[in-house]
Amino acid sequence: MQKYAAGDYDVIVVGAGHAGCEAGLAAARMGAKTLVVTINLDMVAFMPCNPSVGGPAKGVVVREIDALGGAMGKNIDKTYIQMRMLNTGKGPAVQALRAQADKFQYQKEMKKTLENESNLTLLQGMVEELVVEDGMCKGVVTKTGAVYRSKTVVITTGTFLKGEIIIGDLKYSSGPNNQQPSIKLSDHLKELGFELVRFKTGTPPRINSHTIDYSKTEIQPGDETPRAFSYETTKYITDQLPCWLTYTNEKTHQIIDENLHRSPMFSGMVKGTGARYCPSIEDKIVRFSDKPRHQIFLEPEGRDTEEVYVQGLSTSLPEEVQHKILATVPGLEKAQMMRAGYAIEYDAIVPTQLWPTLETKQVKNLYTAGQINGTSGYEEAAGQGLMAGINAARNALEKEEVILSRSDAYIGVLLDDLVTKGTNEPYRLLTSRAEYRLLLRHDNADLRLTELGHQIGLINEERYAKFIEKKESIEAEINRLRSIIIKPNEKTQELIRQAGGSELKDGIRASDLLKRPEMSYAHIHELVPTEAALPQDVTEQVEIQIKYEGYIDKSLQQVEKLKKLEDKKIPEDIDYEAINGIATEARQKLSKVRPLSIAQASRISGVNPADISILLVYIEHGRIAKVAKE
């Protein structure tokens, strides 16, 4: 193969899945001349698994992406078939949006977004190796010999690296949805010294909607209240499509039990580690043998297709067994399977080989994002892609890179978990992973991140001005309610009685009355109305910030303590092997991860408080230089 010079760029993004799209758009919009190379242009932002965006923790990530200036939220708002707010009966810390996607329209909208970005070139091609000179990545080489040079490169290859699809005893080389896999790039990364692992994910069958008996299932409609992921969305889709709920039963479980020996999961054919929080139906039957049934959601894949995604029935059992399983489920007795479920194995990079910026430690100016870093989910991929694109662009433009902390965003939690702790299975973001989840809410992503998005050039002046106006309105209304005393007159007492509360004995600040569980902002506004009605997103913030003030303040105090440890930087050239007193395991882990701060070091598995104390002494007493010389 003869190589030839094909062009020069600031940033090259390899792959155009959910990570690649965000990386490419962010880099281009920040002023970096950007090339996005993907194996198949018809697969840009494709959803090979469930046709949905959002959910617990994940939905907050989509809002964070939007607050920083990303594209996922805007495009799902234009193309969803159903939108629901989850956990509405619980507190704001665990509420999140979930949208059922029209997967084809979403894909089309995102591709159009990339094509219309003036500073971005979208190209179909197979990247097989990187241009690495003096330990620095300086471009990519495609299968056809085209050499594209750049200042930085972002790899977002998803599950395509040495992808293999498995159905029963059938195993063949393929990317998701029978796409061409990426073989040589995986081998090239190994040659560069990267440690790779083998992971597995799976998908359920798709069935024809015309062959479903919906009368035997339970309808799952979308919310009537208009909702959106993007803070800029003003038009809402009203003609939503329902999903449907049904269940497996003892007959289903019996068929699976009888065919477990034919499952690649249990026969030994699957070598990769699967996702704990997205198990196959075979895995569910074995792990939860006491459960008589499991939920199955029937999710339309789009408005212009009859394909229905059978959520909850992920499987790699032989095709004929999948037919038998479907026939046992109420409503699916005569279901026509259009695509069989399958497992896919792929190579991923061990993420502790990355800095928190997502730049690799092995090769400078090379970044990785998405499922190649061992994560699962479109949202986790998009969040990583956005941050990798931001940092690759800032690096190329010779600006300081950006690191989100665990108290800034769920994206910060995700990145810190990956680069500090690593993962031995496909990583899924959960609310329980965030110690500051009361601060990292669905409703306040803009208040947390829009300022940063504006600073780095992804939030325009018009949007920023609206954000400042909203922020000032919230502060003004909170101050107003703190300054007003509500007297225990008849109107007040009657309203409190109707709300189910106890009457006032003395005057009370409006803000203190709002802290009562039974009282809402609407109640307070009825007693002390504003001159002009405030927008709903402003009053929502006022209510949350006042009601949860004590808990929020406590979380902020914890953040301040953490910040002191984050500010204690660890010199890059520290030699952990030379520090006496640190346990062997801790020394090995510290040498591998190379944490940037004491706070990050304290989160590494196997590093104990005693090890941190010794490390602090060395840094504070300036012993590092002496140790290094010795």
Side-chain angles (χ1 to χ4, degrees):
M1 179 186 67
Q2 188 172 347
K3 295 179 181 179
Y4 68 97
D8 296 308
Y9 295 85
D10 293 319
V11 178
I12 293 174
V13 179
V14 181
H18 303 284
C21 289
E22 295 292 353
L25 288 168
R29 290 168 176 174
M30 290 167 65
K33 184 183 177 186
T34 303
L35 173 69
V36 176
V37 192
T38 185
I39 293 173
N40 185 350
L41 284 179
D42 296 330
M43 297 292 286
V44 170
F46 185 68
M47 295 180 174
C49 200
N50 58 316
S52 68
V53 168
K58 293 167 176 277
V60 183
V61 169
V62 182
R63 292 214 109 193
E64 291 174 350
I65 289 167
D66 182 74
L68 286 166
M72 179 175 262
K74 289 186 180 68
N75 285 329
I76 190 62
D77 285 350
K78 292 177 185 176
T79 58
Y80 67 84
I81 60 177
Q82 183 189 110
M83 185 79 80
R84 296 181 75 182
M85 178 67 85
L86 306 181
N87 298 327
T88 52
K90 298 180 181 179
V94 292
Q95 291 179 12
L97 273 181
R98 184 181 187 271
Q100 203 60 40
D102 185 321
K103 63 188 290 183
F104 305 105
Q105 285 302 314
Y106 180 86
Q107 187 183 356
K108 183 179 176 183
E109 196 66 38
M110 189 64 86
K111 183 169 182 274
K112 187 166 70 175
T113 304
L114 268 69
E115 290 171 339
N116 291 336
E117 187 57 50
S118 59
N119 215 19
L120 186 151
T121 300
L122 188 57
L123 174 74
Q124 182 165 295
M126 170 81 79
V127 171
E128 294 197 329
E129 62 181 272
L130 306 171
V131 178
V132 179
E133 299 168 0
D134 301 321
M136 290 187 283
C137 190
K138 296 192 174 180
V140 302
V141 183
T142 69
K143 191 174 186 176
T144 57
V147 180
Y148 297 93
R149 297 187 72 88
S150 62
K151 295 173 183 175
T152 58
V153 172
V154 184
I155 300 179
T156 67
T157 46
T159 60
F160 280 80
L161 282 186
K162 284 200 171 177
E164 289 183 306
I165 281 180
I166 307 164
I167 306 173
D169 58 3
L170 173 67
K171 188 174 190 177
Y172 58 93
S173 180
S174 175
N177 209 47
N178 285 328
Q179 291 298 304
Q180 194 178 171
S182 175
I183 306 297
K184 290 190 176 180
L185 183 57
S186 183
D187 292 333
H188 181 62
L189 290 171
K190 284 182 183 176
E191 289 168 9
L192 290 171
F194 287 101
E195 183 185 353
L196 303 183
V197 290
R198 198 80 174 148
F199 279 168
K200 182 222 77 141
T201 187
T203 190
R206 272 70 160 180
I207 57 179
N208 190 318
S209 179
H210 290 313
T211 63
I212 298 171
D213 183 353
Y214 288 108
S215 67
K216 296 181 179 179
T217 67
E218 301 169 31
I219 192 168
Q220 303 285 301
D223 290 347
E224 291 183 11
T225 305
R227 302 188 192 279
F229 279 103
S230 175
Y231 288 91
E232 291 191 282
T233 296
T234 54
K235 293 181 180 178
Y236 302 92
I237 295 170
T238 54
D239 58 331
Q240 299 187 58
L241 301 183
C243 295
W244 307 83
L245 172 64
T246 183
Y247 297 88
T248 63
N249 51 52
E250 288 182 10
K251 196 171 180 182
T252 318
H253 301 183
Q254 183 183 346
I255 290 173
I256 294 168
D257 271 329
E258 289 170 354
N259 288 277
L260 274 179
H261 64 286
R262 303 182 68 191
S263 168
M265 287 284 298
F266 296 93
S267 68
M269 184 178 283
V270 169
K271 305 296 183 188
T273 307
R276 179 193 307 261
Y277 300 102
C278 190
S280 67
I281 190 65
E282 304 97 283
D283 206 15
K284 287 182 193 174
I285 300 307
V286 172
R287 284 166 55 187
F288 309 108
S289 57
D290 58 317
K291 289 189 177 291
R293 65 179 191 171
H294 294 280
Q295 287 184 329
I296 301 293
F297 287 96
L298 306 176
E299 302 175 343
E301 294 224 312
R303 295 180 187 276
D304 300 318
T305 178
E306 294 305 321
E307 283 191 73
V308 173
Y309 182 90
V310 189
Q311 171 77 279
L313 208 65
S314 176
T315 183
S316 55
L317 281 162
E319 207 167 297
E320 71 270 22
V321 178
Q322 295 187 34
H323 282 290
K324 291 176 183 176
I325 291 170
L326 287 170
T328 66
V329 178
L332 308 186
E333 292 89 350
K334 296 180 181 179
Q336 181 188 91
M337 188 165 71
M338 299 175 73
R339 303 184 202 228
Y342 62 84
I344 183 168
E345 284 189 332
Y346 56 95
D347 283 350
I349 277 182
V350 174
T352 50
Q353 297 170 106
L354 308 173
W355 297 113
T357 58
L358 293 180
E359 183 182 19
T360 69
K361 297 171 183 175
Q362 189 76 17
V363 179
K364 287 185 177 180
N365 303 334
L366 175 65
Y367 299 75
T368 59
Q371 283 185 274
I372 188 176
N373 288 345
T375 57
S376 66
Y378 311 140
E379 304 83 358
E380 288 93 335
Q384 290 174 73
L386 177 65
M387 295 312 299
I390 288 170
N391 286 323
R394 288 182 72 84
N395 183 348
L397 300 172
E398 299 182 352
K399 294 180 179 179
E400 188 178 350
E401 291 175 285
V402 175
I403 297 175
L404 292 176
S405 75
R406 298 181 71 89
S407 57
D408 289 329
Y410 268 100
I411 298 173
V413 174
L414 163 67
L415 299 187
D416 184 68
D417 278 354
L418 289 175
V419 305
T420 304
K421 302 173 184 177
T423 182
N424 55 13
E425 62 187 47
Y427 176 102
R428 179 178 180 174
L429 201 52
L430 306 166
T431 53
S432 59
R433 297 192 193 271
E435 58 270 51
Y436 305 114
R437 55 186 171 275
L438 186 56
L439 302 179
L440 310 181
R441 303 186 310 274
H442 155 91
D443 61 84
N444 71 348
D446 59 336
L447 298 175
R448 291 185 277 118
L449 298 169
T450 303
E451 189 74 50
L452 175 60
H454 179 251
Q455 286 174 11
I456 60 182
L458 291 177
I459 297 293
N460 63 33
E461 293 302 325
E462 182 184 355
R463 178 171 174 180
Y464 185 64
K466 289 179 180 176
F467 162 72
I468 292 298
E469 183 182 351
K470 174 184 173 179
K471 191 176 175 183
E472 290 175 348
S473 295
I474 294 165
E475 290 172 0
E477 180 62 356
I478 289 174
N479 289 333
R480 185 182 82 91
L481 296 184
R482 283 174 176 162
S483 67
I484 293 177
I485 301 295
I486 293 178
K487 296 179 180 178
N489 56 35
E490 186 51 40
K491 181 182 178 182
T492 301
Q493 306 291 38
E494 176 59 25
L495 186 143
I496 292 173
R497 282 195 299 270
Q498 288 179 0
S502 55
E503 295 183 2
L504 297 180
K505 294 179 180 177
D506 298 300
I508 187 173
R509 282 193 181 90
S511 56
D512 289 336
L513 184 58
L514 180 53
K515 286 181 181 179
R516 288 188 176 190
E518 72 277 5
M519 301 302 288
S520 67
Y521 177 82
H523 290 128
I524 305 301
H525 189 262
E526 192 174 331
L527 296 173
V528 286
T530 52
E531 289 183 12
L534 294 170
Q536 189 270 334
D537 59 344
V538 170
T539 61
E540 177 187 52
Q541 277 306 305
V542 170
E543 182 166 336
I544 289 172
Q545 289 187 30
I546 288 177
K547 276 189 178 296
Y548 294 91
E549 183 179 26
Y551 298 104
I552 290 171
D553 286 346
K554 188 175 286 187
S555 292
L556 290 171
Q557 289 169 16
Q558 292 172 338
V559 169
E560 278 304 308
K561 289 180 182 177
L562 177 70
K563 193 172 183 300
K564 291 175 182 177
L565 292 178
E566 295 285 6
D567 290 341
K568 288 186 184 295
K569 301 301 180 186
I570 299 175
E572 288 183 23
D573 59 349
I574 187 170
D575 181 4
Y576 292 106
E577 294 298 328
I579 302 177
N580 295 324
I582 291 181
T584 302
E585 182 188 1
R587 193 179 289 124
Q588 291 170 349
K589 294 282 184 70
L590 289 164
S591 297
K592 183 178 181 180
V593 175
R594 304 207 64 78
L596 300 179
S597 68
I598 290 294
Q600 188 187 357
S602 68
R603 293 191 290 269
I604 298 172
S605 174
V607 177
N608 298 316
D611 303 313
I612 295 298
S613 297
I614 293 168
L615 183 57
L616 271 170
V617 169
Y618 270 84
I619 292 172
E620 289 173 0
H621 289 266
R623 292 286 301 280
I624 290 165
K626 295 177 185 176
V627 171
K629 286 178 184 176
E630 291 169 7

